[in-house]
Amino acid sequence: MGRRILVLLLVAGLLTGCWSRVEINDLGVVLGIGVDVGEEQAVRLTFYFALSGRPAGRGAQVGGEPVWVVSREADNLSDAIRQISLASARRISLHHLRVVLIGEEYARKGIADLLDFLGRNEQVRYTLRPLVVRGRAQEALETLPQLKGLQPTNIVGIMEAKGGVNWRLKEFLIARISDTHSGWMFAVEVIRRPAGIPDAPPTAVSLRGAGLFYGDQLIRFLDASEAQTLSWLMGNPRESIISTPCPEDPNKTLSAAVLKGGTQIRPVLRGRTFSFDVLASAQVNLVRLECPEAVATTGDRQLLEERLAADLKRRLERVIAVFQATQTDPPGFGKRLQLAYPDYFRSIRKRYPQLWPEAEVRIATEVTIRQSGLLGGPVNKRRGEVPQVQ
Amino acid sequence: MPTIRISGGLYACILAIFIYATQFVFLPATVIREAYQEAWLAAAISGLYGLGVALVSTWIALHARGSSVVQLARQSLGAPGAWLVGGLYGAFFTVIFGFGLRNVLDFTVMLLLPGTPGIPVVALAALLALYGSWQGLEPTARVAFTSHLFAATMILALPLFLGREYRVLQLDPFLWEGLEPLARGVVKALPWAGQSLIALTLVPHLNPKVPPYRWTAFGVAMGTVLLALPMGVATLVFGPILPSRFLFPSYELLSVIGVTEALERLQVVLVVIWMAVAFVKLSVGLYAAARTWREVFGVRSHRGPAVAVAAVGVGITQLYTGVLEQIESAGDPLVTAAELGTQGAVLALLALAVLLYRRRAGSGAGLHG
């Protein structure tokens, strides 16, 4: 009995988990990282620390939140982290890292080193969100958040609230290492806010388009409309908006929110030449209508549907032309060709990036107006209903 | 005849654990690196080899009528045969125990307790396995059932939890790189599947009322499914190339599970379950090695040899400077050949022993003289 108690005590002593423990108050929890080209050295790294265990209102803060945003420059990422750790009284922890913001200049030089660092680090999860910044990443992290307390969670909140494609480090790495896909990531920008609002921060962070990568280098930004169209080709256009001029009056417009939609990309091989048929279809909710057409009637509705479909087709043509011009392929046209015609693709495997820009892409679009908000007609009087002023 | 009896279910659980427990974490990267998205198929094919090894082992053990590996060899092949078979079998499971300890060490120190020195971790793991082996097969088998239940549920639920992470469009056409990568993947997985050789130790303890071949096949099939499934899911989630660059693709799978915003980072719970099945494997492996060495050296109890095997196992863990060297070593063609050669030699010698015994039995002499 005595021996058992002795063993139990021994085991209890070993199970305390005290070895190499770090108290939460000693952890510097990093929620966001910004990577820029340094002014004096190769890399400028910015860490956004959430200071756990410290009440708001004490210490270094941004907007009243207990955070610390710190930047250091070095020859490489690891040395930059070391530089930050030399200034940090807490042990750096990347377990809760939510966003990695990559400055435009750094992204244009190539992010291979950053991807390697993120992939190797056992604390970093593949579900974090990488974003490219139009400008400097440091500035984006230093900007005060709008509807959430901390800028990294604010950015994640924006990403989640917008709906559509959920693009994370995992997806970027898969595309980057693939033979047939190209990497891309959403872009954010620091925007100037209108002056005159008392106590309001002068700038804010906003999502704006996407960055297109060739290999590990940013080669082009897509504007907001192009990025929205990219989400069609990535298979999740939900909550995106299609706006187009009215059929009769081009000065007035209508907008429709996508309730359900998708894109089918079908490769076609004729002889030794390949092409693609793209069919984008959507069920939409008419959220805004300046046009005089009555959505309750089939004829008028069809007219509007044709307008919306034509607009969607134009957008798709424009984005695919960008892909072909830049020899990039985020949606995986090449992968579909490989899956449909494996033997043929094997024969052109190495030449595919050069052949892709020459490939014909035929686009067809179908839009069905499923609802028109809660209205069957406009709340304003139509042209014929307005009494003529004498 | 051994007095300790285990049911068919417990036997199948232990057999399955020998096929998937440590392999679940360490094998996928090696096999995916060779076979790409057909890694699951390589694991399944290697499972057939594991099944063959287990069935032959069962046949041998049944014909030995309760005798151990060493006793059977001694009766039919004489003392040199007993030394040879016992030495090979004992050494095989001593090395498996050492490798298993190293696996637990690497995984724990890298992911669970970074900053903790390896020696206390490996010493604790060895002590726990030693305690399990001292208690004998039956208590360990009961622990095996519970921990296997949790582990199997966890692995079988993986495809459901990861449903929204699948990226089917990242996959290549079937056998895109041809048959050669698949064959290389199979070769890498074979020695691990051949650990079903443990059936030689387990079958003598199997309740004689249960159909042994059926439970053997069930155990190996269960283990193979639980090994092949995460490989298939890993390529569905990460594509055919990226997981081959990971050290622990299965762990990465667990880490991307996010049922809701509030229910993520489940990997910690799941890793604890993995540790439980890994310890069962360590305990049973240590038990098999210690029992064999006991008979080879004619010692009364297996407890002393168990301490020696545990010490050797700890020593094996220190042969490697790190996980990279260990993984490279496990994939070394010489190591693969040695493992397969040992499995084949043990089975061939014991099969010969059974045939000689049967011939002798036909002429009137029994196994026990």
Side-chain angles (χ1 to χ4, degrees):
Chain A
M1 187 65 185
R3 209 170 64 176
R4 284 190 179 177
I5 291 173
L6 189 69
V7 169
L8 275 176
L9 284 175
L10 243 173
V11 171
L14 292 168
L15 292 177
T16 54
C18 290
W19 207 310
S20 68
R21 77 193 186 284
V22 183
E23 300 295 340
I24 191 165
N25 286 344
D26 297 329
L27 278 180
V29 178
V30 181
L31 293 182
I33 291 180
V35 191
D36 291 300
V37 172
E39 286 163 13
E40 294 173 359
Q41 299 191 61
V43 183
R44 185 170 183 82
L45 194 66
T46 305
F47 272 16
Y48 190 102
F49 286 97
L51 302 180
S52 51
R54 176 187 283 188
R58 288 178 58 198
Q61 296 178 8
V62 175
E65 291 292 333
V67 302
W68 181 39
V69 185
V70 56
S71 296
R72 289 290 183 277
E73 289 191 9
D75 285 340
N76 57 64
L77 288 167
S78 299
D79 286 350
I81 292 175
R82 184 72 190 147
Q83 291 293 327
I84 291 174
S85 75
L86 291 177
S88 167
R90 297 180 177 212
R91 188 177 294 187
I92 293 171
S93 165
L94 302 179
H95 284 106
H96 298 273
L97 186 62
R98 308 296 298 273
V99 293
V100 173
L101 304 184
I102 306 165
E104 180 178 344
E105 193 183 351
Y106 185 89
R108 288 195 188 279
K109 289 190 169 186
I111 59 170
D113 189 34
L114 175 64
L115 294 176
D116 188 78
F117 164 75
L118 294 172
R120 265 177 218 284
N121 194 301
E122 76 279 1
Q123 297 180 358
V124 172
R125 299 174 72 211
Y126 287 97
T127 49
L128 76 82
R129 289 174 169 85
L131 295 113
V132 63
V133 181
R134 292 172 184 261
R136 290 187 70 77
Q138 180 184 352
E139 192 188 353
L141 278 179
E142 286 174 346
T143 301
L144 284 176
Q146 302 299 300
L147 292 177
K148 295 219 175 187
L150 305 167
Q151 189 57 276
T153 50
N154 182 52
I155 293 171
V156 171
I158 294 171
M159 299 280 289
E160 286 172 352
K162 74 165 178 51
V165 180
N166 192 16
W167 195 250
R168 302 161 303 172
L169 177 64
K170 172 174 126 4
E171 280 78 25
F172 189 90
L173 286 175
I174 293 172
R176 170 73 190 90
I177 210 161
S178 151
D179 289 339
T180 51
H181 284 70
S182 304
W184 65 279
M185 53 182 80
F186 284 106
V188 293
E189 186 179 38
V190 177
I191 53 169
R192 300 270 148 217
R193 298 189 52 182
I197 305 169
D199 299 328
T203 55
V205 165
S206 172
L207 264 187
R208 195 176 151 212
L212 207 54
F213 284 72
Y214 185 87
D216 66 306
Q217 289 180 312
L218 172 72
I219 51 163
R220 191 188 191 281
F221 277 111
L222 300 177
D223 63 28
S225 166
E226 290 169 337
Q228 194 171 248
T229 312
L230 173 62
S231 68
W232 279 89
L233 293 163
M234 298 305 298
N236 191 356
R238 201 159 172 243
E239 295 186 37
S240 61
I241 299 287
I242 311 173
S243 294
T244 187
C246 294
E248 287 185 4
D249 185 353
N251 293 322
K252 294 186 173 177
T253 58
L254 71 145
S255 300
V258 177
L259 297 169
K260 191 178 168 187
T263 308
Q264 290 175 13
I265 300 173
R266 196 170 65 86
V268 178
L269 183 63
R270 287 202 179 87
R272 302 289 296 166
T273 308
F274 66 88
S275 57
F276 296 94
D277 285 330
V278 176
L279 172 63
S281 54
Q283 295 179 5
V284 300
N285 175 21
L286 218 50
V287 292
R288 196 182 60 82
L289 181 67
E290 288 183 303
C291 319
E293 282 75 11
V295 288
T297 58
T298 307
D300 280 3
R301 210 166 46 243
Q302 274 177 353
L303 205 59
L304 297 178
E305 286 170 351
E306 282 165 15
R307 275 284 157 160
L308 290 167
D311 182 79
L312 178 58
K313 185 178 177 185
R314 261 195 310 278
R315 290 178 192 216
L316 285 167
E317 283 169 345
R318 201 172 90 196
V319 170
I320 290 169
V322 170
F323 295 156
Q324 291 189 309
T326 51
Q327 291 191 15
T328 55
D329 186 6
F333 281 86
K335 174 57 76 176
R336 287 170 171 90
L337 182 67
Q338 181 197 22
L339 289 171
Y341 304 102
D343 292 336
Y344 170 73
F345 190 82
R346 192 173 272 116
S347 70
I348 59 154
R349 192 176 182 176
K350 295 231 159 54
R351 290 183 295 127
Y352 177 75
Q354 287 79 49
L355 296 174
W356 157 235
E358 308 301 324
E360 183 190 356
V361 181
R362 292 172 295 275
I363 299 169
T365 51
E366 290 171 359
V367 174
T368 308
I369 298 174
R370 206 172 77 186
Q371 65 187 78
S372 173
L374 295 177
L375 297 179
V379 289
N380 302 310
K381 286 193 171 188
R382 294 198 191 97
R383 197 180 301 157
E385 295 170 339
V386 180
Q388 299 297 311
V389 180
Q390 297 299 319
Chain B
M1 294 282 281
T3 50
I4 300 166
R5 292 291 175 198
I6 55 173
S7 68
L10 294 184
Y11 163 68
C13 286
I14 299 177
L15 205 52
I17 283 173
F18 262 79
I19 305 276
Y20 80 86
T22 46
Q23 291 90 324
F24 170 74
V25 169
F26 284 87
L27 193 56
T30 310
V31 180
I32 295 172
R33 201 170 298 137
E34 301 294 342
Y36 304 105
Q37 68 184 34
E38 274 74 51
W40 67 273
L41 188 57
I45 293 170
S46 72
L48 292 177
Y49 168 75
L51 180 64
V53 168
L55 289 176
V56 173
S57 301
T58 307
W59 177 79
I60 290 167
L62 289 175
H63 284 81
R65 297 185 184 180
S67 295
S68 68
V69 167
V70 178
Q71 284 168 341
L72 172 64
R74 186 171 287 130
Q75 293 295 328
S76 296
L77 306 172
W83 270 88
L84 184 59
V85 172
L88 285 173
Y89 190 74
F92 181 74
F93 280 104
T94 303
V95 171
I96 293 297
F97 174 72
F99 280 176
L101 273 183
R102 180 74 214 190
N103 293 159
V104 170
L105 164 69
D106 285 329
F107 195 68
T108 308
V109 173
M110 286 179 73
L111 294 164
L112 283 185
L113 302 169
T116 306
I119 280 290
V121 171
V122 84
L124 260 178
L127 275 175
L128 196 57
L130 191 61
Y131 178 76
S133 75
W134 274 19
Q135 298 307 307
L137 202 57
E138 194 184 2
T140 312
R142 292 188 188 284
V143 176
F145 177 74
T146 317
S147 50
H148 169 71
L149 200 66
F150 281 108
T153 308
M154 166 189 95
I155 297 173
L156 292 173
L158 266 183
L160 300 177
F161 280 122
L162 289 163
R164 65 178 184 176
E165 297 289 342
Y166 293 158
R167 298 290 177 270
V168 179
L169 199 61
Q170 297 291 349
L171 296 181
D172 292 330
F174 184 60
L175 288 176
W176 170 246
E177 302 288 349
L179 281 169
E180 194 190 324
L182 175 64
R184 286 201 306 265
V186 171
V187 170
K188 295 284 182 194
L190 280 184
W192 297 77
Q195 291 180 19
S196 59
L197 196 65
I198 193 68
L200 280 170
T201 297
L202 300 177
V203 171
H205 296 283
L206 186 60
N207 186 339
K209 292 176 184 167
V210 301
Y213 291 108
R214 194 180 301 170
W215 282 110
T216 299
F218 179 62
V220 175
M222 189 160 51
T224 304
V225 167
L226 293 175
L227 180 61
L229 189 69
M231 292 192 198
V233 174
T235 50
L236 271 173
V237 170
F238 292 110
I241 306 171
L242 191 59
S244 71
R245 312 289 168 95
F246 297 153
L247 279 183
F248 310 119
S250 310
Y251 177 81
E252 303 296 355
L253 275 182
L254 300 178
S255 69
V256 296
I257 293 176
V259 180
T260 65
E261 189 78 10
L263 200 61
E264 44 183 33
R265 296 176 193 280
L266 299 176
Q267 71 267 31
V268 178
V269 179
L270 305 178
V271 162
V272 170
I273 296 171
W274 174 80
M275 295 285 265
V277 286
F279 277 117
V280 167
K281 182 173 175 179
L282 287 179
S283 293
V284 177
L286 180 56
Y287 174 81
R291 285 285 300 255
T292 308
W293 290 123
R294 186 201 78 174
E295 290 174 17
V296 169
F297 292 110
V299 186
R300 280 188 64 185
S301 166
H302 78 284
R303 291 189 167 191
V307 174
V309 172
V312 171
V314 172
I316 288 173
T317 64
Q318 300 306 305
L319 291 177
Y320 302 105
T321 53
V323 67
L324 293 175
E325 193 181 355
Q326 205 242 333
I327 288 177
E328 186 186 3
S329 157
D332 188 297
L334 278 179
V335 175
T336 304
E339 286 184 81
L340 291 175
T342 306
Q343 292 160 10
V346 166
L347 289 181
L349 286 168
L350 287 174
L352 178 68
V354 169
L355 293 175
L356 287 174
Y357 156 69
R358 287 174 78 176
R359 185 188 286 179
R360 208 175 298 164
S363 63
L367 181 62
H368 301 289

